[in-house]
Amino acid sequence: MANIIEVPAIQVDQWNREFFLTVLKARDLVGISYVAIRGQSDEEGAVQRIFNRERLASLRRYALHKGAYPSSIVLNWTAGAAPVFDEGLLSVPVESRSAQIIDGQHRVEGLRAAIEESNHIGDTEIPVSIYMNLDTRECADLFLSINTEQKPVPRSLVFDLYGIASEGFVDPAAVRARDIAMHLNDSEGSPYFKNIKLPNQPIRKGGVALSTAVAALKPLVESKGIFEQIDASELEVQKKIVENFFVVLREKYGDRWEDKSNAFMFAAGFTGGIDFLKLKLIPICNNMSPKDFSIGFISTLIDLPKESLVRQDEIKGVGGKDAPKRVFDRLVDAFKPQQQISTSFKL
């Protein structure tokens, strides 16, 4: 016989649909809920997507670091004895696979994993909305109303907030990439001084969005990325390597650097440049003796006369990954590597 818990609840009537708004302990929520996958399950109410297991580690970490859950998990009660509402209390049978998750499966799986690691997470109170015996059409309507009308948070705002959020809630590689991007924006000697577009700034042509800069820089700084491979783990070293590369490009452009005709003043140019830095330039500089990431040495490797500058009109209208690839290819054409052996850094 199922264990019955009584929780305070509110009955809500909304557009001819009734549901109960309540709070469940995380362990009870995990205990009663399950996911019915669209295309894999033939039961009524199967509208969910396949769980993205790559997110599980971050979801578990979020729960373990006392992450907030202000939004309701939305359930569709489908099996066993139904909850009973009476005078402000909802009697909920705690029985396995009683309620489909309509919205919130990733949050629930993160809680499930966190409880397995630390049992006290099970005491966390989670807002829950419980519908009763919805059919597939009703579940689809509800799922779409939740997931298509809400706009996602702009990624530039997410990365900007990484600078002030608690450690447990952030992606360490993205934080490091953000630190480098902000250095490029804030340092007066940087080629991108005040040219990294931060969230909520006035819209303008040119400049590189913070989200673009972080996405491009992140592969350099993540675990087992190129900086780790060459033992360049210190932030100051990483900032200098990136800045020196773009300083060399600025020197090649001279007074045309901040022109709107300069491809590197736009997202595709920045991304293609970082790809070139990662795949071509860093291995050569690392192979010198001593390792040489100085402006002078990098300048000898890139032959980019003024008549061959990478212009924005070359990539205007080129979509997706093709635009950064075109910038990358142009830099490869200008690349004149020299090879020696390396032992230490020269900046």
Side-chain angles (χ1 to χ4, degrees):
M1 184 175 178
N3 177 40
I4 306 292
I5 59 172
E6 285 192 342
V7 289
I10 299 172
Q11 180 176 322
V12 181
D13 292 299
Q14 196 176 80
W15 306 112
N16 296 321
R17 285 196 183 116
E18 177 185 274
F19 67 93
F20 300 100
L21 186 59
T22 187
V23 173
L24 297 179
K25 295 289 182 68
R27 66 170 55 87
D28 294 326
L29 170 61
V30 166
I32 66 175
S33 62
Y34 71 102
V35 174
I37 303 296
R38 177 73 173 166
Q40 293 188 3
S41 173
D42 58 3
E43 70 174 88
E44 283 292 323
V47 297
Q48 269 293 348
R49 55 192 165 178
I50 295 174
F51 177 68
N52 182 358
R53 299 204 65 82
E54 292 181 358
R55 294 178 55 190
L56 185 58
S58 62
L59 293 164
R60 181 182 66 247
R61 183 171 65 246
Y62 181 79
L64 290 171
H65 285 83
K66 300 179 181 179
Y69 297 88
S71 300
S72 289
I73 306 297
V74 182
L75 302 179
N76 177 31
W77 200 277
T78 58
V84 176
F85 182 71
D86 184 36
E87 296 185 356
L89 291 177
L90 189 67
S91 298
V92 181
V94 180
E95 189 169 2
S96 177
R97 297 184 63 83
S98 296
Q100 297 169 341
I101 300 174
I102 296 177
D103 188 62
Q105 70 153 316
H106 286 82
R107 283 171 284 166
V108 173
E109 286 303 314
L111 286 165
R112 188 190 309 277
I115 292 169
E116 291 175 357
E117 185 169 332
S118 184
N119 188 58
H120 78 275
I121 298 297
D123 293 325
T124 306
E125 293 186 332
I126 306 296
V128 179
S129 295
I130 302 176
Y131 288 80
M132 302 291 181
N133 298 310
L134 298 180
D135 61 25
T136 301
R137 182 185 297 274
E138 290 172 316
C139 287
D141 291 347
L142 190 54
F143 180 88
L144 290 174
S145 70
I146 294 170
N147 290 287
T148 61
E149 295 303 321
Q150 298 181 17
K151 288 188 67 175
V153 176
R155 292 189 65 78
S156 281
L157 178 57
V158 172
F159 293 137
D160 188 41
L161 292 176
Y162 275 177
I164 58 174
S166 301
E167 183 177 344
F169 302 125
V170 300
D171 176 350
V175 172
R176 176 56 63 94
R178 177 195 176 278
D179 289 343
I180 297 172
M182 292 306 299
H183 168 76
L184 293 175
N185 185 68
D186 296 340
S187 174
E188 291 189 10
S190 163
Y192 288 96
F193 179 57
K194 302 302 181 186
N195 274 307
I196 302 295
K197 294 190 287 190
L198 304 180
N200 302 320
Q201 287 185 333
I203 296 174
R204 59 188 171 92
K205 186 177 181 181
V208 179
L210 178 62
S211 57
T212 298
V214 171
L217 291 163
K218 187 179 173 183
L220 276 65
V221 300
E222 61 191 2
S223 177
K224 299 182 182 178
I226 187 66
F227 279 150
E228 181 177 307
Q229 294 173 31
I230 67 170
D231 296 322
S233 58
E234 295 182 7
L235 175 60
E236 293 306 312
V237 172
Q238 295 172 354
K239 290 193 296 190
K240 198 65 175 174
I241 289 173
V242 174
E243 182 179 5
N244 283 1
F245 165 60
F246 283 116
V247 166
V248 168
L249 291 181
R250 182 176 63 186
E251 289 180 347
K252 304 295 182 182
Y253 278 76
D255 57 9
R256 303 182 193 176
W257 175 253
E258 294 199 11
D259 285 357
K260 296 301 184 287
S261 62
N262 175 13
F264 295 102
M265 281 289 106
F266 295 83
F270 185 91
T271 301
I274 292 297
D275 287 344
F276 173 79
L277 173 66
K278 176 180 67 176
L279 297 174
K280 296 295 183 179
L281 194 59
I282 287 178
I284 294 299
C285 295
N286 187 62
N287 202 40
M288 299 302 294
S289 179
K291 300 180 182 183
D292 195 345
F293 291 87
S294 65
I295 293 170
F297 179 64
I298 294 174
S299 185
T300 68
L301 301 177
I302 301 175
D303 182 17
L304 198 64
K306 286 196 173 3
E307 61 271 16
S308 299
L309 299 176
V310 188
R311 297 175 55 84
Q312 178 62 10
D313 57 17
E314 295 179 47
I315 57 177
K316 189 175 181 179
V318 179
K321 297 181 180 179
D322 290 338
K325 178 66 164 53
R326 188 167 296 186
V327 173
F328 173 84
D329 289 341
R330 292 279 276 104
L331 287 173
V332 170
D333 290 340
F335 192 39
K336 310 297 179 185
Q338 305 171 27
Q339 296 190 14
Q340 296 177 30
I341 302 175
S342 61
T343 56
S344 59
F345 287 100
K346 179 180 178 181
L347 297 171

